[in-house]
Amino acid sequence: MGRLIARRPVLRIGPDGSTRRPDALAVEEPLELRVGGRALAVTMRTPGHDVELAHGFLLTEGVIGSLEDVRDARYCGSRDDEGRNTYNVLDVGLAEGVPAPDTGVERNFYTTSSCGVCGKASLDAVRLRTRHSPADDPVQVTPEVIAALPGVLRDRQRVFDSTGGLHAAGLFTAAGEPIVVREDVGRHNAVDKVLGWALMQGGVPVKGSVLVVSGRASFELVQKAVMAGVPILAAVSAPSSLAVELAAECGLTLAGFVRGRHMNVYAHAARIERTTP
């Protein structure tokens, strides 16, 4: 697992007394994302798939729209006390002709593992325009397929099994076959890693697919799905009111509380095929 898991001593207390033992924790470290050598954002993430994370972040923030917009990505400039590279600074070079991100206050933001992007200067900086609208995607998925996806996602959470401390996101076909699954301490990072993977595979817009997240569906996660052209987002927990509003506005099918055989479909339910009761 490398840097994905850290072991720390813990005092375990129960009805039969207490014991000291090592415990496995999900690693959380900062990643500074630079574009063309200039700092753009810092996010707290689980190390691994950082290049995917960077591509997904830049895609869902509207900086890039395709893999051709990126020239290269490389680690740089971060050393620990012993002079070793921490791999916590990643610099992305944009292709010739691709505008650099706005360096004004609109993009001086910090992200956390819990809430995602914080401190944007205005509502206009939060709400972005997508190049890959999902509105016309004709994909149809059965309720049975949607209902099964959280379980498939959970079965592929390797680090969660050891730590119990990670979110997951996964991209699936309309038939329920897993395409890619990623874990992270931040739900938004897990989504960025999945969508970054899709971008690097030439798969954006992500047509005919279902994005599944292990927690709630926030405005930010809905926006990320819309920015990548994902037609269906399914969440294990609840959506927010603004998430539902954005999904309805942008043509995204949004399902929440997907547990067992039940779910609530909040927007564009026509993509989820229904049988007669």
Side-chain angles (χ1 to χ4, degrees), residues 15-244:
D16 298 325
S18 61
T19 58
R20 293 190 179 275
R21 50 170 288 184
D23 192 31
L25 304 175
V27 169
E28 180 179 32
E29 293 183 1
L31 175 68
E32 179 182 323
L33 176 60
R34 299 177 182 175
V35 175
R38 302 183 67 169
L40 175 66
V42 175
T43 185
M44 303 303 295
R45 98 300 189 196
T46 299
H49 305 291
D50 289 336
V51 175
E52 294 175 357
L53 171 58
H55 279 73
F57 181 83
L58 294 176
L59 170 70
T60 59
E61 286 295 319
V63 178
I64 62 175
S66 68
L67 183 59
E68 289 70 29
D69 290 341
V70 176
R71 184 186 70 244
D72 56 28
R74 59 187 179 86
Y75 289 103
C76 60
S78 178
R79 302 284 172 179
D80 63 16
D81 293 340
E82 298 179 9
R84 297 172 298 190
N85 196 329
T86 65
Y87 297 99
N88 284 338
V89 178
L90 186 69
D91 190 9
V92 176
L94 299 180
E96 185 176 355
V98 177
D102 185 356
T103 56
V105 292
E106 292 84 3
R107 290 197 176 275
N108 289 336
F109 47 69
Y110 169 76
T111 75
T112 70
S113 60
S114 57
C115 70
V117 174
C118 299
K120 285 193 174 182
S122 68
L123 289 177
D124 288 340
V126 173
R127 217 173 180 100
L128 302 171
R129 290 184 178 274
T130 181
R131 308 181 202 180
H132 308 295
S133 172
D136 295 328
D137 194 316
V139 65
Q140 295 277 300
V141 181
T142 67
E144 291 76 18
V145 165
I146 296 288
L149 294 183
V152 179
L153 182 69
R154 174 66 185 83
D155 289 343
R156 282 159 174 75
Q157 288 188 253
R158 296 188 304 126
V159 182
F160 182 90
D161 287 337
S162 299
T163 66
L166 289 180
H167 293 283
L171 202 60
F172 295 82
T173 68
E177 295 298 322
I179 301 171
V180 60
V181 172
R182 293 289 183 260
E183 293 179 280
D184 200 277
V185 288
R187 59 174 62 87
H188 59 288
N189 288 336
V191 170
D192 279 342
K193 288 178 178 180
V194 164
L195 299 181
W197 177 92
L199 183 76
M200 295 176 71
Q201 300 300 313
V204 171
V206 191
K207 297 181 178 179
S209 63
V210 183
L211 177 64
V212 182
V213 295
S214 60
R216 62 187 179 89
S218 64
F219 168 87
E220 186 182 18
L221 296 194
V222 168
Q223 180 163 265
K224 288 180 181 296
V226 168
M227 293 296 286
V230 175
I232 302 174
L233 173 61
V236 172
S237 193
S240 69
S241 62
L242 197 57
V244 173

Side-chain angles (χ1 to χ4, degrees), residues 1-26:
M1 295 293 185
R3 291 167 62 211
L4 302 179
I5 293 176
R7 297 195 176 274
R8 298 290 186 270
V10 62
L11 176 64
R12 187 179 182 90
I13 300 174
D16 298 325
S18 61
T19 58
R20 293 190 179 275
R21 50 170 288 184
D23 192 31
L25 304 175

